[in-house]
Amino acid sequence: MARELAVTERTRVHRHPERAQTGRAALHAVLDEGLIAHVGFVRDGAPVVLPVAYGRDADTVYLHGSTGSRAFRALAGGAPLSLAVTLLDGLVLARSATHSSMNYRSAVVFGRGEEVTGEGAKRDALRVVTEHLAPGRWAEVRPVTRKELAGVLVLAVALDEASVKVRTGPPHDDPEDLGLPIWSGVLPLSLATARPVPDPTLAPGVPVPHSVSTWVAGPGAPLGGGGR
Amino acid sequence: MARELAVTERTRVHRHPERAQTGRAALHAVLDEGLIAHVGFVRDGAPVVLPVAYGRDADTVYLHGSTGSRAFRALAGGAPLSLAVTLLDGLVLARSATHSSMNYRSAVVFGRGEEVTGEGAKRDALRVVTEHLAPGRWAEVRPVTRKELAGVLVLAVALDEASVKVRTGPPHDDPEDLGLPIWSGVLPLSLATARPVPDPTLAPGVPVPHSVSTWVAGPGAPLGGGGR
């Protein structure tokens, strides 16, 4: 797979082309840091957007849902889809409303879902999604059963066509506005964790595992600190 | 407008119906707390999902983009759209991967965009979006000009058809798994702010305004604290 994303008619960034990133590494970085994807598909001629969990392995994104889900059954049938992951980094507050904006990193993928079949492949895909949300968790949890696998519908989406946009930095006010006595700048935003809440049924003495205690920013980072 | 959301074929919650909320107040609450919406529409027969800023006034959501945006021009033509706002409240870590989940509040709207025309109406809509992101900001910034208004495409989406799903609380493990020595619980997640970063061109002595200092959780809340 080429290290650069191919630019197609629908991935070309027309608005603010300076925000476009064409490296596959940039795509991977956004997908790996995000926790929720918004998946769009067409049902009865109209678009539907739903939030889903996901995980990435190399150049494939995996989604999983119930075999009873209308949305997942439609997607498993090969319907075209679009999948967006957006990381919000801050509010950009310019001296004018028009130049106010957000700092963000976003990825938009175009493709189709291909149903993953076979117990081994489905198990691998669930591992990818589980590890994406909490690295190390797969080795901690009770192994997935054959019955559970049978009830899960897993989709693979190839990262063949995608665009990445990134905005960083301060506002860009009009030159004639720079002298106005109006505060402008960025209010940084990030995802933060709080102290883990044990399940009420948890037996006393079961420690917070590695996957949770290191979630924030890698080993050594304090829980309740900054974003991931 | 009725206080309850009408349940239609596409807003009926089939999976986990216990998570459905049918009150219009629940829809408003999700939309008001979110900062980014993911809008899906159909272009050349395939879905496109894009992140956008928005704001709500009564039972209308406003979006704005450039008059040069392909996406906004398509939406202004009355193409059907779906708009999702998702608030992530935590990772739900069960003793099994299959029962692991997320705590979230999500709204999915179905409708069409109607272009807002007229200077007054467009200005009002920009105010709604600006105030949504930072309440009080509209009164602080330099007034929007007629030229700026002419370059902005504003869409109104009526909240006629929408569904809201909410998951809260601990994991729901299988009864036979409750005795396993595996930690289970919730890792809370929220959006956090950091100290505002002034624009490098800002003149010395311009104070951080009310819209920024009170952003976090209302008057008196410390900046850099918890989520909104």
Coordinates of all heavy atoms in Angstrom, one line a residue, chain A residues 63-136:
Chain A
L63 N -15.5 -2.9 12.0 CA -16.6 -2.4 12.7 C -17.4 -3.7 13.2 O -17.3 -4.7 12.4 CB -17.6 -1.6 11.9 CG -17.0 -0.6 11.0 CD1 -18.1 0.0 10.1 CD2 -16.4 0.5 11.8
H64 N -18.0 -3.7 14.3 CA -18.8 -4.8 14.6 C -20.2 -4.4 15.2 O -20.3 -3.4 15.9 CB -18.1 -5.8 15.6 CG -17.9 -5.2 17.0 ND1 -18.9 -5.3 17.9 CD2 -16.9 -4.5 17.5 CE1 -18.4 -4.7 19.0 NE2 -17.2 -4.2 18.8
G65 N -21.2 -5.2 14.9 CA -22.5 -5.0 15.3 C -23.2 -6.3 15.5 O -22.6 -7.4 15.3
S66 N -24.5 -6.2 15.9 CA -25.2 -7.5 16.0 C -25.7 -8.0 14.7 O -25.9 -7.2 13.8 CB -26.4 -7.2 16.9 OG -27.4 -8.2 16.8
T67 N -25.8 -9.3 14.6 CA -26.3 -9.9 13.3 C -27.8 -9.4 13.2 O -28.4 -9.5 12.1 CB -26.3 -11.4 13.4 OG1 -26.8 -11.8 14.6 CG2 -24.8 -11.9 13.3
G68 N -28.4 -8.9 14.3 CA -29.8 -8.5 14.2 C -29.9 -7.0 13.8 O -31.0 -6.5 13.7
S69 N -28.8 -6.3 13.6 CA -28.9 -4.9 13.4 C -29.2 -4.6 11.9 O -28.5 -5.1 11.0 CB -27.5 -4.3 13.7 OG -27.3 -3.1 13.0
R70 N -30.3 -3.9 11.7 CA -30.6 -3.5 10.3 C -29.5 -2.8 9.6 O -29.2 -3.1 8.4 CB -31.8 -2.6 10.3 CG -33.1 -3.2 10.6 CD -34.3 -2.2 10.5 NE -34.0 -1.0 11.3 CZ -34.7 0.1 11.1 NH1 -35.7 0.2 10.2 NH2 -34.5 1.2 11.9
A71 N -28.8 -1.9 10.3 CA -27.8 -1.1 9.7 C -26.6 -2.0 9.3 O -26.1 -1.9 8.2 CB -27.3 0.0 10.7
F72 N -26.2 -2.9 10.2 CA -25.1 -3.8 9.9 C -25.4 -4.8 8.8 O -24.6 -5.1 8.0 CB -24.5 -4.4 11.1 CG -23.5 -3.6 11.8 CD1 -23.9 -2.5 12.6 CD2 -22.1 -3.8 11.6 CE1 -22.9 -1.7 13.2 CE2 -21.2 -3.0 12.1 CZ -21.6 -2.0 13.0
R73 N -26.7 -5.2 8.8 CA -27.0 -6.1 7.7 C -26.9 -5.4 6.3 O -26.5 -6.0 5.3 CB -28.4 -6.7 7.9 CG -28.5 -7.8 9.0 CD -29.7 -8.7 8.9 NE -30.9 -7.9 8.8 CZ -31.8 -7.6 9.8 NH1 -31.5 -8.0 11.0 NH2 -32.9 -6.9 9.6
A74 N -27.4 -4.1 6.3 CA -27.3 -3.4 5.1 C -25.9 -3.2 4.6 O -25.5 -3.4 3.5 CB -28.0 -2.0 5.2
L75 N -25.0 -2.9 5.6 CA -23.6 -2.6 5.3 C -22.9 -3.9 4.9 O -22.0 -3.9 4.0 CB -22.9 -2.0 6.5 CG -23.3 -0.6 6.9 CD1 -22.7 -0.1 8.2 CD2 -22.9 0.4 5.7
A76 N -23.3 -5.0 5.5 CA -22.7 -6.3 5.1 C -23.0 -6.7 3.7 O -22.3 -7.5 3.1 CB -23.1 -7.4 6.1
G77 N -24.1 -6.2 3.2 CA -24.5 -6.4 1.8 C -23.7 -5.7 0.8 O -23.9 -5.8 -0.4
G78 N -22.7 -4.9 1.3 CA -21.8 -4.2 0.4 C -22.3 -2.8 0.0 O -21.7 -2.3 -1.0
A79 N -23.2 -2.3 0.7 CA -23.6 -0.9 0.4 C -22.5 0.1 0.6 O -21.7 -0.1 1.5 CB -24.8 -0.5 1.4
P80 N -22.4 1.1 -0.3 CA -21.3 2.1 -0.1 C -21.5 2.8 1.2 O -22.6 3.0 1.7 CB -21.5 3.0 -1.3 CG -22.8 2.7 -1.9 CD -23.2 1.3 -1.5
L81 N -20.4 3.1 1.8 CA -20.4 3.8 3.1 C -19.4 4.9 3.2 O -18.4 4.9 2.4 CB -20.2 2.8 4.3 CG -18.9 2.1 4.4 CD1 -17.8 2.9 5.0 CD2 -19.0 0.8 5.2
S82 N -19.6 5.8 4.1 CA -18.6 6.8 4.4 C -18.4 6.8 5.9 O -19.4 6.6 6.7 CB -19.1 8.2 3.9 OG -18.1 9.2 4.3
L83 N -17.2 6.9 6.3 CA -16.9 6.8 7.8 C -16.0 7.9 8.2 O -14.9 8.2 7.6 CB -16.1 5.4 7.9 CG -15.7 4.9 9.3 CD1 -15.6 3.4 9.3 CD2 -14.3 5.5 9.6
A84 N -16.4 8.7 9.2 CA -15.7 9.9 9.6 C -15.3 9.8 11.1 O -16.1 9.4 11.9 CB -16.5 11.1 9.4
V85 N -14.1 10.1 11.3 CA -13.6 10.2 12.7 C -13.0 11.6 12.9 O -12.2 12.1 12.1 CB -12.5 9.2 13.0 CG1 -11.8 9.4 14.3 CG2 -13.0 7.8 12.8
T86 N -13.5 12.3 13.9 CA -13.1 13.7 14.1 C -12.5 13.9 15.5 O -13.2 13.5 16.5 CB -14.3 14.6 13.9 OG1 -14.8 14.4 12.6 CG2 -13.9 16.1 14.0
L87 N -11.4 14.4 15.7 CA -10.8 14.8 17.0 C -10.8 16.3 17.1 O -10.3 17.0 16.3 CB -9.3 14.3 17.0 CG -9.1 12.8 16.6 CD1 -7.6 12.5 16.5 CD2 -9.7 11.9 17.7
L88 N -11.5 16.7 18.2 CA -11.6 18.1 18.4 C -10.5 18.6 19.3 O -10.4 18.1 20.5 CB -13.0 18.4 19.0 CG -13.4 19.8 19.3 CD1 -13.3 20.7 18.0 CD2 -14.8 19.9 19.9
D89 N -9.7 19.6 18.9 CA -8.6 20.0 19.6 C -8.7 21.4 20.2 O -8.0 21.8 21.1 CB -7.3 20.0 18.7 CG -6.9 18.6 18.3 OD1 -7.1 17.7 19.1 OD2 -6.4 18.5 17.2
G90 N -9.7 22.1 19.8 CA -9.9 23.4 20.4 C -10.9 24.3 19.7 O -11.2 24.1 18.5
L91 N -11.4 25.3 20.4 CA -12.2 26.3 19.8 C -11.3 27.5 19.4 O -10.5 28.0 20.2 CB -13.3 26.9 20.8 CG -14.3 25.8 21.3 CD1 -15.3 26.6 22.2 CD2 -15.0 25.1 20.2
V92 N -11.5 27.9 18.1 CA -10.7 29.0 17.6 C -11.5 30.3 17.6 O -12.5 30.4 16.8 CB -10.2 28.7 16.2 CG1 -9.4 29.9 15.6 CG2 -9.3 27.4 16.2
L93 N -11.2 31.2 18.5 CA -12.1 32.3 18.7 C -11.4 33.6 18.1 O -10.5 34.1 18.7 CB -12.3 32.5 20.2 CG -13.0 31.2 20.8 CD1 -12.8 31.2 22.3 CD2 -14.5 31.3 20.5
A94 N -11.9 33.9 17.0 CA -11.3 35.1 16.3 C -12.0 36.4 16.7 O -13.0 36.3 17.5 CB -11.5 34.9 14.8
R95 N -11.6 37.5 16.3 CA -12.2 38.8 16.7 C -13.5 39.0 15.9 O -14.3 39.8 16.3 CB -11.2 39.9 16.4 CG -9.9 39.9 17.2 CD -8.9 40.8 16.6 NE -7.7 40.9 17.4 CZ -6.6 40.1 17.2 NH1 -6.7 39.1 16.3 NH2 -5.5 40.3 17.9
S96 N -13.7 38.2 14.9 CA -15.0 38.2 14.2 C -15.6 36.8 14.2 O -14.9 35.8 14.3 CB -14.8 38.6 12.7 OG -14.1 37.6 12.0
A97 N -16.9 36.7 14.2 CA -17.6 35.4 14.2 C -17.2 34.6 12.9 O -17.0 33.4 13.0 CB -19.1 35.6 14.3
T98 N -17.1 35.3 11.8 CA -16.9 34.6 10.6 C -15.5 33.9 10.5 O -15.4 32.8 9.9 CB -16.9 35.6 9.4 OG1 -18.1 36.4 9.5 CG2 -16.9 34.9 8.1
H99 N -14.5 34.4 11.2 CA -13.2 33.8 11.2 C -13.1 32.8 12.4 O -12.0 32.2 12.5 CB -12.1 34.8 11.2 CG -12.0 35.5 9.8 ND1 -11.7 34.8 8.7 CD2 -12.2 36.8 9.5 CE1 -11.6 35.7 7.7 NE2 -11.9 36.9 8.1
S100 N -14.0 32.7 13.2 CA -14.0 31.8 14.3 C -14.1 30.4 13.7 O -14.7 30.2 12.7 CB -15.0 32.1 15.4 OG -14.7 33.3 16.0
S101 N -13.5 29.4 14.4 CA -13.4 28.1 13.8 C -13.1 27.1 14.9 O -13.3 27.3 16.0 CB -12.2 28.1 12.7 OG -12.1 26.9 12.1
M102 N -12.6 25.9 14.5 CA -12.2 24.9 15.4 C -10.9 24.3 15.0 O -10.6 24.3 13.8 CB -13.2 23.8 15.5 CG -14.6 24.2 16.0 SD -15.6 22.7 16.4 CE -17.2 23.4 16.4
N103 N -10.0 24.0 15.9 CA -8.9 23.1 15.6 C -9.3 21.7 15.7 O -10.0 21.3 16.7 CB -7.7 23.4 16.6 CG -7.0 24.7 16.2 OD1 -7.1 25.1 15.0 ND2 -6.3 25.3 17.1
Y104 N -9.0 20.9 14.7 CA -9.4 19.5 14.7 C -8.5 18.7 13.8 O -7.7 19.3 13.0 CB -10.9 19.5 14.1 CG -10.9 20.0 12.7 CD1 -10.8 19.1 11.6 CD2 -11.1 21.3 12.4 CE1 -10.8 19.6 10.3 CE2 -11.2 21.8 11.1 CZ -11.0 20.9 10.0 OH -11.0 21.4 8.8
R105 N -8.6 17.4 13.9 CA -8.0 16.5 13.0 C -9.1 15.5 12.6 O -9.8 14.9 13.4 CB -6.9 15.7 13.6 CG -5.7 16.6 14.0 CD -4.8 15.9 15.0 NE -5.4 16.0 16.3 CZ -5.2 15.1 17.3 NH1 -4.4 14.1 17.1 NH2 -5.8 15.2 18.5
S106 N -9.4 15.4 11.3 CA -10.5 14.6 10.9 C -10.1 13.7 9.7 O -9.3 14.1 8.9 CB -11.7 15.4 10.5 OG -11.5 16.1 9.2
A107 N -10.7 12.5 9.7 CA -10.5 11.6 8.6 C -11.9 11.2 8.0 O -12.8 11.0 8.8 CB -9.8 10.3 9.1
V108 N -12.0 11.2 6.7 CA -13.2 10.7 6.1 C -12.8 9.6 5.1 O -12.0 9.8 4.2 CB -13.9 11.9 5.3 CG1 -15.2 11.3 4.6 CG2 -14.3 13.0 6.3
V109 N -13.4 8.5 5.3 CA -13.1 7.3 4.5 C -14.3 7.0 3.6 O -15.5 7.1 4.0 CB -12.8 6.1 5.4 CG1 -12.6 4.8 4.6 CG2 -11.7 6.4 6.3
F110 N -14.1 6.6 2.4 CA -15.1 6.2 1.4 C -14.9 4.7 1.1 O -13.7 4.3 0.8 CB -15.1 7.0 0.2 CG -15.4 8.4 0.4 CD1 -14.4 9.4 0.6 CD2 -16.7 8.9 0.5 CE1 -14.6 10.7 0.8 CE2 -17.0 10.3 0.8 CZ -15.9 11.2 0.9
G111 N -15.9 3.9 1.1 CA -15.6 2.5 0.7 C -16.9 1.7 0.9 O -18.0 2.2 0.8
R112 N -16.7 0.4 1.1 CA -17.8 -0.6 1.3 C -17.3 -1.5 2.4 O -16.1 -1.8 2.6 CB -18.0 -1.4 0.1 CG -18.6 -0.6 -1.1 CD -18.7 -1.4 -2.4 NE -19.0 -0.6 -3.5 CZ -20.3 -0.4 -3.9 NH1 -21.3 -0.9 -3.2 NH2 -20.5 0.4 -4.9
G113 N -18.3 -2.0 3.2 CA -18.0 -3.0 4.2 C -18.0 -4.4 3.5 O -18.8 -4.7 2.7
E114 N -17.0 -5.2 4.0 CA -17.0 -6.6 3.5 C -17.2 -7.4 4.8 O -16.4 -7.2 5.8 CB -15.7 -6.9 2.8 CG -15.6 -8.3 2.3 CD -14.3 -8.6 1.5 OE1 -13.6 -7.6 1.3 OE2 -14.1 -9.7 1.2
E115 N -18.1 -8.3 4.8 CA -18.3 -9.1 6.0 C -17.2 -10.0 6.2 O -16.7 -10.7 5.3 CB -19.7 -9.9 5.9 CG -20.0 -10.6 7.2 CD -21.3 -11.3 7.2 OE1 -22.1 -11.2 6.2 OE2 -21.6 -12.1 8.1
V116 N -16.7 -10.0 7.5 CA -15.6 -10.9 7.9 C -16.3 -12.2 8.3 O -17.1 -12.2 9.2 CB -14.8 -10.3 9.0 CG1 -13.8 -11.3 9.5 CG2 -14.2 -9.0 8.6
T117 N -15.9 -13.3 7.7 CA -16.5 -14.6 8.1 C -15.3 -15.5 8.6 O -14.2 -15.3 8.3 CB -17.2 -15.3 6.9 OG1 -16.2 -15.4 5.8 CG2 -18.3 -14.5 6.4
G118 N -15.7 -16.6 9.2 CA -14.7 -17.5 9.8 C -14.4 -17.1 11.2 O -14.2 -16.0 11.5
E119 N -14.4 -18.1 12.1 CA -14.2 -17.8 13.5 C -12.9 -17.1 13.8 O -12.9 -16.2 14.6 CB -14.3 -19.1 14.3 CG -15.7 -19.6 14.6 CD -15.8 -20.8 15.5 OE1 -14.8 -21.1 16.2 OE2 -16.9 -21.3 15.6
G120 N -11.9 -17.6 13.2 CA -10.6 -17.0 13.5 C -10.5 -15.5 13.1 O -10.0 -14.7 13.8
A121 N -11.0 -15.3 11.9 CA -10.9 -13.9 11.4 C -11.8 -13.0 12.2 O -11.5 -11.8 12.4 CB -11.3 -13.9 9.9
K122 N -13.0 -13.5 12.6 CA -13.9 -12.6 13.4 C -13.3 -12.4 14.8 O -13.4 -11.2 15.3 CB -15.3 -13.3 13.5 CG -16.1 -13.3 12.3 CD -17.4 -14.1 12.4 CE -18.5 -13.3 13.1 NZ -19.8 -14.1 13.0
R123 N -12.7 -13.4 15.3 CA -12.1 -13.2 16.6 C -10.9 -12.2 16.5 O -10.8 -11.3 17.4 CB -11.5 -14.6 17.1 CG -11.0 -14.5 18.6 CD -10.5 -15.9 19.1 NE -11.7 -16.7 19.5 CZ -12.1 -17.8 18.9 NH1 -11.6 -18.2 17.8 NH2 -13.2 -18.4 19.4
D124 N -10.1 -12.3 15.5 CA -9.1 -11.3 15.3 C -9.6 -9.9 15.2 O -9.0 -8.9 15.7 CB -8.3 -11.7 14.0 CG -7.3 -12.9 14.2 OD1 -7.1 -13.3 15.4 OD2 -6.8 -13.4 13.2
A125 N -10.7 -9.7 14.5 CA -11.3 -8.4 14.3 C -11.8 -7.9 15.6 O -11.6 -6.7 15.9 CB -12.4 -8.4 13.2
L126 N -12.4 -8.7 16.4 CA -12.9 -8.3 17.7 C -11.7 -7.9 18.6 O -11.8 -6.9 19.4 CB -13.7 -9.3 18.4 CG -15.1 -9.7 17.8 CD1 -15.8 -10.7 18.6 CD2 -15.9 -8.4 17.6
R127 N -10.6 -8.6 18.5 CA -9.4 -8.2 19.2 C -8.9 -6.8 18.8 O -8.6 -6.0 19.7 CB -8.3 -9.3 19.0 CG -7.0 -8.9 19.7 CD -5.9 -10.0 19.4 NE -5.8 -10.4 18.0 CZ -5.2 -9.6 17.1 NH1 -4.7 -8.5 17.4 NH2 -5.1 -10.0 15.8
V128 N -9.0 -6.6 17.5 CA -8.5 -5.2 17.0 C -9.4 -4.1 17.6 O -8.9 -3.1 18.1 CB -8.5 -5.2 15.5 CG1 -8.4 -3.8 15.0 CG2 -7.5 -6.1 14.9
V129 N -10.7 -4.3 17.7 CA -11.6 -3.3 18.2 C -11.4 -3.2 19.7 O -11.3 -2.0 20.2 CB -13.1 -3.6 17.9 CG1 -14.0 -2.6 18.5 CG2 -13.3 -3.7 16.3
T130 N -11.3 -4.3 20.4 CA -11.1 -4.2 21.8 C -9.8 -3.6 22.2 O -9.7 -2.7 23.1 CB -11.1 -5.7 22.4 OG1 -12.3 -6.3 22.1 CG2 -10.9 -5.7 23.9
E131 N -8.7 -3.9 21.5 CA -7.4 -3.3 21.8 C -7.3 -1.8 21.4 O -6.6 -1.1 22.0 CB -6.3 -4.1 21.0 CG -6.1 -5.5 21.6 CD -5.3 -5.5 22.9 OE1 -4.2 -5.0 22.9 OE2 -5.9 -5.9 23.9
H132 N -8.1 -1.5 20.4 CA -8.2 -0.1 20.0 C -8.7 0.8 21.2 O -8.2 1.9 21.5 CB -9.1 0.1 18.8 CG -9.4 1.5 18.4 ND1 -8.5 2.4 17.9 CD2 -10.5 2.2 18.6 CE1 -9.0 3.5 17.7 NE2 -10.2 3.5 18.1
L133 N -9.8 0.3 21.8 CA -10.4 1.1 22.9 C -9.6 1.1 24.2 O -9.5 2.1 24.9 CB -11.8 0.6 23.2 CG -12.8 0.7 22.0 CD1 -14.1 0.1 22.3 CD2 -13.0 2.2 21.6
A134 N -8.9 0.0 24.5 CA -8.1 -0.2 25.7 C -7.0 -1.2 25.4 O -7.2 -2.4 25.6 CB -9.0 -0.6 26.9
P135 N -5.9 -0.7 25.0 CA -4.8 -1.6 24.7 C -4.4 -2.5 25.8 O -4.3 -2.0 27.0 CB -3.6 -0.6 24.3 CG -4.3 0.6 23.8 CD -5.6 0.7 24.7
G136 N -4.3 -3.7 25.5 CA -4.0 -4.7 26.6 C -5.2 -5.4 27.1 O -5.1 -6.4 27.8

